Amino acid sequence: MAVEEIRALLWAALLAGPAVHAENYKEAPGSRPPVLAAIFGDHAVLQRGQPIAIWGKAPAGSVVTVQLNGESVLATADGGGKWRARLPAMAAGGPYALSVGANGGTSTVNDIMIGDVFLCGGQSNMELPMAQATNAAMDVAFSASPLIRFVNIPRDSSAVRLDDFKTVPQWQVAGAQTTGQASAVCYHMARALQRRYEVPVGFVNASWGGSTIQSWISGASMRKMAGYAQALDVVDQYAADAAAGMRAEEVRQQAWWETADPQARAQRAWAGKAFDDSAWPVMQPAGRWNESGIGALSTHRGVAWFRTTVELTAQQAAAVTHLLLGQVATADTTWVNGVRVGANTNWWTGREYAVPRGVLTPGRNVVAVRVLGDDQGGGLVSPAGQRALRTADGARIALPLRWKYQVGSQLSATQPPTPWEAPTSLGTLYNGMIAPLQGYAFKLAAWYQGEANAGAAREYRTLLPLLFDDWRQTFAQPDLPFLVAQLTSFGAVSTTPGRSAWAELRQAQSAAVRNDPHAGLAVTFDFGDRSDIHPSQKAIVGQRLARAARAVAYGEKITPGGPEAVSASRSGEDVVIRFANTNGGLRTYSSDTAIGFEVCEQDACRYARATAEGDTVRLPGAATVRASKVRYGWSDAPFINLFSMDDLPASGFELDLN
């Protein structure tokens, strides 16, 4: 069927009226029809060229008939009511109705397309919607296309692996009223690929700002990593019994505190309801303590404690379900009447801790918060109005404006994250947002994450390949192509060579892709923003991912990206760096020299003059006796001007000198 015919049919289907969703099934009297898993909704796209798995629930023992595009297969619900069917591979086309029937009842979803499906994951730069991207007004206004669909997976952090989504995801067709909600990077990649291959495309966006890669890998796979077993055990305990998990985590955290802080054991009493804090000074928290004007806090780097008292009636004490603290910089551990209710290590995350029934009592109640600050101080940073007790019906009981405080130990350390607390959890985003997709087939996966793991590049060299393997196993696609958007440019500009956590993370991403025959890399640091960790120019990133997809997922005989250094060797007094994927040669912009190169004698590095010559870069006079390695773009926010002939930037690197 020609693309024009498909498009006409699609518009007719869309304009005909509201589609029938799974919940609007036809039910015969006395019967219970089967239902589809939540990912199967109106406007969904299913992967062409691969057998199509369809699954859902029905009364135990029911024989379920699944129909799509003239094909019909049977499945039987097991003792738990779960059923799964497998339709044969189909060519691109649609729109179709997908129906499942049993016991005289039928559930149907409409406007289903067969095409290419992309899974997009990561943190905030993948999450950033089209409405916030460069040129959003024009791109969104003219985005209407029945051949492009998307679904945003609702945020859900789960300590237990889910079979289905708690909140039903809603597939949407690209258009002026919808595209603004789509992941900008994923949309631009999908649009470029749809235009090139002229088949329907759908993309599934499962992302969470600030998330670490460990959150997106299953617990079973994370157990292959050294040092995570105890924390994973705590997550499992919490999944089985939240109270037992909280107690186990308190033991784990207290052991860390007593190792890191010599005063931790004695100060633990400060969390209790019976502790006498009458001698403590009083303040009204309203930001980081280094800006409070209080001398003892103005230069403090370490621990400070905050306590407040709230009077409750018996009715209020019974009704409260959560404690709200707003944002806390940087990490906190919080108790109510001496009972630990939570801890978090992310300053940008509002604290919302469940308060177990029976912890609050009529009369006087004490909230105690131990805060571990950083070089910029710390404290309860949100406006006072965000600090409250919340009841089951949503009402709020405000906490006092003024709190008692006490300066604790001077301490330069990083508090371990609570292992089930998103976005720095272990496996919980996988459990809630990836595992329910098991069985859905994809053309490729695109990954844009790493900011939250900067500073731990060595471990990331293992974690990123582990993610590849974990998702491929989840979807039973051992060769599933992975596209990685490399960390962009952000942070301080370098004036002298030095260590760069972001450059090290980029190198880890490059290594993971280079060592995987089914992976591609999109270099992005030439379009970063040193003052904004969320650069809004997402079209370029999406287009570069699309180029990598053409090579890695679609098999085109093109290079997946731009120049990549493969060797550095001595040539007389010079160093010569050889590049692959130059696509006709190297060139420099705004200068006849390439900037950003360094030559190092062990860890002592200096900037080096460099010139591009065909597929090589020459560093004149750099081959000193003690020279051991060369680097390029080795900065959080590098200035670079080395590109391929087709305008793709050379990737940053660190290479041993041969």
Side-chain angles (χ1 to χ4, degrees), residues 438-453:
Q438 184 173 5
Y440 217 84
F442 295 98
K443 181 68 175 181
L444 59 85
W447 180 250
Y448 195 170
Q449 189 275 341
E451 298 92 338
N453 289 88

Side-chain angles (χ1 to χ4, degrees), residues 266-289:
Q267 291 177 3
R268 175 63 179 80
W270 296 359
K273 182 177 182 179
F275 177 75
D276 181 6
D277 60 15
S278 59
W280 284 21
V282 177
M283 69 180 294
Q284 183 172 324
R288 289 180 179 264
W289 61 56

Side-chain angles (χ1 to χ4, degrees), residues 113-127:
M113 299 300 295
I114 309 296
D116 287 339
V117 189
F118 313 137
L119 176 58
C120 297
Q123 56 182 112
S124 51
N125 272 306
M126 181 63 85
E127 191 175 39

Side-chain angles (χ1 to χ4, degrees), residues 82-165:
K82 298 177 182 178
W83 60 266
R84 185 174 292 262
R86 187 178 176 91
L87 289 160
M90 300 180 188
Y96 305 119
L98 169 62
S99 65
V100 292
N103 304 321
T106 302
S107 298
T108 301
V109 291
N110 295 302
D111 188 35
I112 303 300
M113 299 300 295
I114 309 296
D116 287 339
V117 189
F118 313 137
L119 176 58
C120 297
Q123 56 182 112
S124 51
N125 272 306
M126 181 63 85
E127 191 175 39
L128 189 140
M130 279 291 294
Q132 297 177 22
T134 298
N135 204 36
M138 295 293 288
D139 284 341
V140 172
F142 295 97
S143 65
S145 172
L147 297 176
I148 300 177
R149 285 98 183 284
F150 68 93
V151 58
N152 293 324
I153 301 302
R155 283 187 172 192
D156 189 5
S157 175
S158 175
V160 63
R161 180 171 176 151
L162 301 182
D163 292 329
D164 206 355
F165 297 111

Side-chain angles (χ1 to χ4, degrees), residues 459-475:
E459 185 183 38
Y460 204 85
R461 285 174 174 262
T462 302
L463 286 169
L464 186 53
L466 186 63
L467 176 90
F468 295 169
D469 292 343
D470 188 55
W471 286 18
R472 286 166 175 160
Q473 181 177 356
T474 295
F475 300 113

Side-chain angles (χ1 to χ4, degrees), residues 146-272:
L147 297 176
I148 300 177
R149 285 98 183 284
F150 68 93
V151 58
N152 293 324
I153 301 302
R155 283 187 172 192
D156 189 5
S157 175
S158 175
V160 63
R161 180 171 176 151
L162 301 182
D163 292 329
D164 206 355
F165 297 111
K166 295 177 183 176
T167 302
V168 176
Q170 301 296 320
W171 280 92
Q172 301 194 73
V173 180
Q177 303 304 313
T178 59
T179 302
Q181 305 164 41
S183 160
V185 165
C186 205
Y187 171 79
H188 282 295
M189 177 187 71
R191 184 177 69 169
L193 293 172
Q194 193 283 318
R195 289 176 174 176
R196 183 165 190 84
Y197 298 108
E198 297 187 328
V199 298
V201 300
F203 57 93
V204 178
N205 173 31
S207 52
W208 189 313
S211 57
T212 55
I213 192 172
Q214 293 94 328
S215 299
W216 295 100
I217 301 172
S218 71
S221 289
M222 281 303 302
R223 287 187 180 277
K224 300 174 184 177
M225 297 284 295
Y228 286 97
Q230 184 184 15
L232 288 164
D233 287 344
V234 168
V235 174
D236 291 343
Q237 286 179 282
Y238 184 78
D241 182 336
M246 287 288 286
R247 291 192 296 270
E249 177 61 3
E250 183 169 18
V251 169
R252 188 178 79 97
Q253 290 274 357
Q254 187 63 21
W256 178 85
W257 272 99
E258 291 179 7
T259 300
D261 181 358
Q263 301 302 314
R265 185 183 295 272
Q267 291 177 3
R268 175 63 179 80
W270 296 359

Side-chain angles (χ1 to χ4, degrees), residues 488-489 524-529 535-537 540-541 544 643 647:
T488 188
S489 175
T524 72
F525 61 2
D526 59 321
F527 274 91
D529 186 333
S536 62
Q537 178 52 275
I540 299 298
V541 181
R544 289 179 180 171
F643 286 74
D647 195 35

